Amino acid sequence: MSTDKNVINISNIRIACKDCSLFQLCLPIGVGEADLELLDRIIKHRRPFRRGEHLFRIGDPFQAIYAVRAGSLKTYAMTEDGHEQVIGFHLPGELVGLDAINGECHPCAAKALETTSVCEIPFDRLEELADHMPTLQRQLLRILSKEILQDHNLLMLLGKKSADERLAAFLVSLSARFKRRGFSSREFYLSMSRNDIGNYLGLAVETVSRLFTRFQEEGLVTVQRKHILLRDIDELSLRAGVSGPMASSKSVNGV
Amino acid sequence: MSTDKNVINISNIRIACKDCSLFQLCLPIGVGEADLELLDRIIKHRRPFRRGEHLFRIGDPFQAIYAVRAGSLKTYAMTEDGHEQVIGFHLPGELVGLDAINGECHPCAAKALETTSVCEIPFDRLEELADHMPTLQRQLLRILSKEILQDHNLLMLLGKKSADERLAAFLVSLSARFKRRGFSSREFYLSMSRNDIGNYLGLAVETVSRLFTRFQEEGLVTVQRKHILLRDIDELSLRAGVSGPMASSKSVNGV
DNA sequence: AGATTTCATTGATTGTCGTCAACAAATCTG
DNA sequence: CAGATTTGTTGACGACAATCAATGAAATCT
């Protein structure tokens, strides 16, 4: 917070992929050193984005995909009537911009939630590279497929789950993602606003706020502003799955 | 309906990709005849599936993706508590099973909604083929990306839209997809049940039923069982986008 | 064909969550 | 640091859609 008063020239402190702790998260390829070197060479490191800045906006020409290096960001689209719809939150090691591959320009925007640095991967160069690297090609397909899978999970959440199930699922999911990155799975910082959370989960801000309060009253979490402490992850996981009005009354569908 | 009493040997009446009217829909690649021939060779035509039969179930080992040839099917996943969640409906020319590429087995099931024939494309063979065909590789990425984009659209629908907006959007979307395939965009047959529609749209069956009735009363559609006639597509499109309680009252967000 | 089951429609009622509104806290700005 | 703006919390109220329940219509089965 206090060390980055003066922006220094990033290009000088560029870090190679092979030395990046996130490397196996963003492109977990099984390639040799030589291939990795090639991959590394096309990747651009850009100056960090400040909170609120856009990596790209809706309609921007698609040129590159991005890997989050540090910080976090959100992607969002616009409904026809000008409403923002948060599509996802992205933590270090995650890729952004995959939904633009098909088209000419970005169908959604990416905005930094805090000071965030990313690796820019020009897509045409990546494709060229992949032409001669079957492993990379296959990896790309897997990454996109995984993204589809994640979206399907979110679809289930929005289609079936009640408000508390949604928030519980959200917290549990974040917890797992932080853990995977070596951060605490019990305690973390929510870089997104309540508004963004509600938007993402298909809930009103007020509902999110109330739920945080209720979860806290029930001893599930301790919430202090954007700081979250999960006191009972098991119970939260339970709520994320089975709960709501049906769980108590009777067998839901005979299973 | 009356001609397929005896199942005949499908392998004899196999149709080449290059002669398939759907070819440019399912794999719109810009490849030469020779490449197309290679692609065609790995594709298997299987006997048609009857209504209710599964192409694959949740947890089945992933071996192939499928292109719908005729008929239609639904894909669905299971929530933790055993509830079915319809992920999508698939018309001729659309690919199924893309969310399994990342893993070992299918995360969702695919079930025929009517008598349906598909092309089975063994994925390992497809990858081998793509290793030597950059265009195919790139095409695959684009197809997956498109799928992601579609999921995002559905996310917006489930996250923000009211019940009538959802059904309107559903009908308009189906209409466009039928049109693309050379069928009527005004008049079509809903192969899926009301239950499936509701499940897909995150609504109760009863709500779907009531909405159909209401849309009919308002002269937007004529519904007769599963047969749908769109009387006012423009108005439906309008409802699919802007409507609900906010549209009338005041500017939603200053835009 | 009749019986059984599945599917679709309609009505009555309840509950969850969104909306409106006011307030508090924090962050931004000059 | 004070004022302004954004962001988060809490309460009251109402609406939309889910649930419960009953009936009707098709489709499937024997």
Side-chain angles (χ1 to χ4, degrees), chain A residues 1 22 31 33 39 48 77 106 112 125 135 188:
Chain A
M1 274 204 183
L22 297 169
V31 295
E33 285 269 325
L39 177 64
H106 286 283
R125 315 247 358 227
T135 31
F188 46 84

Side-chain angles (χ1 to χ4, degrees), chain A residues 77-85, chain B residues 241-242 252-255:
Chain A
M78 282 288 175
T79 56
E80 297 85 349
D81 51 341
H83 264 262
E84 186 176 313
Q85 166 71 48
Chain B
V242 192
V252 179
N253 57 355
V255 177

Side-chain angles (χ1 to χ4, degrees), chain A residues 112-123:
Chain A
L113 293 169
E114 57 194 315
T115 302
T116 300
S117 61
V118 299
C119 296
E120 183 178 313
I121 311 170
F123 190 68

Side-chain angles (χ1 to χ4, degrees), chain A residues 185-198:
Chain A
S185 63
R186 283 195 73 231
E187 203 169 358
F188 46 84
Y189 178 82
L190 292 177
S191 59
M192 68 291 290
S193 69
R194 300 286 195 267
N195 214 318
D196 287 335
I197 296 174

